[in-house]
Amino acid sequence: MRDSARKVDRGRGRPGCPVGRAEDGTWRVHGYEAAREVLRSTGTVQAGLGIETVEKLPPRVRRPVLYRDGPEHREHRRQTARFFTPRRVDEHYRALMERIAEEQLAVLRTAGEAQLAELAFGVAVGVVSEIIGLRHSRPGLRRRLERFFPEEFGEPGLTSPRGVYWLVRQNLNWLRIHLADVRPAIRAHRRQEQDDLISHLIAEGCSDAEILGECLTFAAAGMVTTREFVCVAAWHLFTDPELLARYRAAEEADRLLILQEILRLEPVVGLLRRRATTELRVPTADGPVTVRPGEFLEMCLDDANTDPEVVGRDPLLVRPGRRLASGPGAAGLAFGDGPHRCPGASVAVLEADIFLSRLFALDGIRMTRSPRVSFKNDIGGYEIRELTVALPRAGRAGQGGA
């Protein structure tokens, strides 16, 4: 059997040293155990992911949970954990995922051909909007979100024409989403409390601006990344007949393991940054490396997740059922670890499977165009576009799902 190999080449070879220091002073962590140790440490705080912009908010404005650390962050995660437990995902969101997946597949059946990224984004937007509470939006939410998410995180210098354009554009995008999506949702939730994130934030006394920030943070984490996950998984399945046959024949639990193994190999976000607040001793095979307070660390997840010491032989091949020596799950560190581990991991994997299992159950489904891959270097991420899927011309109206 020929195993499926990594498809997304981020343009750097795996270094021999698990922890090294770059010219700018940043510690780059490539080893799995070292990366996990840093991510689980309470002696670091969040860095990267546009935190430079968030830090300029007035002190009275509460930062989105992604950019908080310490006791306040832990308490927020404890209170919102109930929205993401495996039981709740199964009982509250499964039917929603199935309905939205079928809606997107109906688009494919009608047109006969579609961009997979568009279908996947439709699924992700529908599911995450419901979990957040954005079910009162005006038409056009998907387009507004596409405009909002930046090509690069961070903020260009405002002394340049590009910087001025960036500031004006982002302020307009914030305003559009606030007026068309978040404000209508807040008003509806104030009239009638609902069991979702927005009602929780209102009960906590958050302002409209703070709720907007949280909604956009969850949208970025749950919509954009899931779209890429679905696309890269489909790419592997379309191009590996044996893996696809195994996926089609498997029960749900085994299908989820296949998807998590693909995600281990192809983490959507490849770089996570932290700033040390205390002295850290990061383990390596040659002894611990000392990181001083104020220094930055960058976890290279695509390298960590292919560390042969942890994932075993042939780490650059898709081998579902691997027994990782340690870690949070079959996807390795693809969802992060420690205090900032992605709370929606189980949501993303299940919605991807519900959509993909139905997509590959369509008779005659095929990939008619290979994807174009581009990169977001600041987060080590990728975007997969132009992967086109199609159905046979005859009998499209009668195509069914799983």
Side-chain angles (χ1 to χ4, degrees), residues 293-307:
E295 292 182 334
F296 289 89
L297 302 103
E298 193 171 75
M299 273 55 65
C300 303
L301 302 186
D302 53 321
D303 289 336
N305 271 2
T306 55
D307 185 341

Side-chain angles (χ1 to χ4, degrees), residues 114-328:
Q115 297 289 317
L116 185 61
E118 289 295 313
L119 300 179
F121 199 46
V123 173
V125 168
V127 172
V128 177
S129 294
E130 186 67 23
I131 295 173
I132 294 174
L134 293 177
R135 60 183 71 89
H136 306 279
S137 295
R138 298 172 188 170
L141 171 60
R142 287 172 60 173
R143 185 178 180 186
R144 289 188 291 276
L145 289 170
E146 288 277 20
R147 286 177 173 175
F148 174 79
F149 295 119
E151 294 179 2
E152 295 182 5
F153 286 91
E155 178 182 310
L158 297 183
T159 57
S160 67
R162 177 174 174 267
V164 173
Y165 167 76
W166 179 91
L167 179 64
V168 172
R169 188 195 72 171
Q170 284 302 86
N171 283 340
L172 286 174
N173 289 334
W174 277 77
L175 183 61
R176 290 188 186 104
I177 294 174
H178 172 66
L179 295 177
D181 307 296
V182 177
R183 188 171 70 172
I186 293 172
R187 288 176 172 174
H189 284 70
R190 291 192 190 281
R191 291 193 298 268
Q192 178 65 52
E193 182 179 354
Q194 300 173 42
D195 188 18
D196 54 34
L197 182 66
I198 288 180
S199 278
H200 170 77
L201 295 172
I202 291 172
E204 282 199 323
C206 292
S207 67
D208 287 11
E210 291 167 344
I211 294 174
L212 171 62
E214 292 285 8
C215 287
L216 287 171
T217 299
F218 274 89
M223 298 177 185
V224 176
T225 55
T226 301
R227 170 177 58 186
E228 307 310 329
F229 174 29
V230 168
C231 288
V232 78
W235 190 11
H236 274 272
L237 292 168
F238 272 120
T239 55
D240 187 333
E242 293 184 44
L243 184 65
L244 177 56
R246 180 173 175 177
Y247 180 76
R248 281 172 162 161
E251 298 294 328
E252 180 179 273
D254 289 330
R255 294 199 307 269
L256 297 181
L257 286 176
I258 292 171
L259 295 180
Q260 289 177 84
E261 168 65 359
I262 293 173
L263 188 58
R264 175 201 65 81
L265 185 60
E266 315 271 21
V268 177
V269 175
L271 297 176
L272 293 177
R273 287 176 61 85
R274 298 289 187 268
R275 177 171 57 83
T277 56
T278 62
E279 184 175 286
L280 301 179
R281 305 279 284 175
V282 182
T284 74
D286 298 324
V289 169
T290 300
V291 178
R292 307 296 180 188
E295 292 182 334
F296 289 89
L297 302 103
E298 193 171 75
M299 273 55 65
C300 303
L301 302 186
D302 53 321
D303 289 336
N305 271 2
T306 55
D307 185 341
E309 296 295 322
V310 174
V311 304
R313 295 176 55 190
D314 299 320
L316 294 177
L317 299 179
V318 175
R319 295 273 179 85
R322 286 181 186 271
R323 293 188 178 275
L324 274 64
S326 57

Side-chain angles (χ1 to χ4, degrees), residues 337-351:
D337 201 1
H340 282 282
R341 175 172 162 77
C342 175
S346 57
V347 175
V349 177
L350 182 61
E351 75 177 89

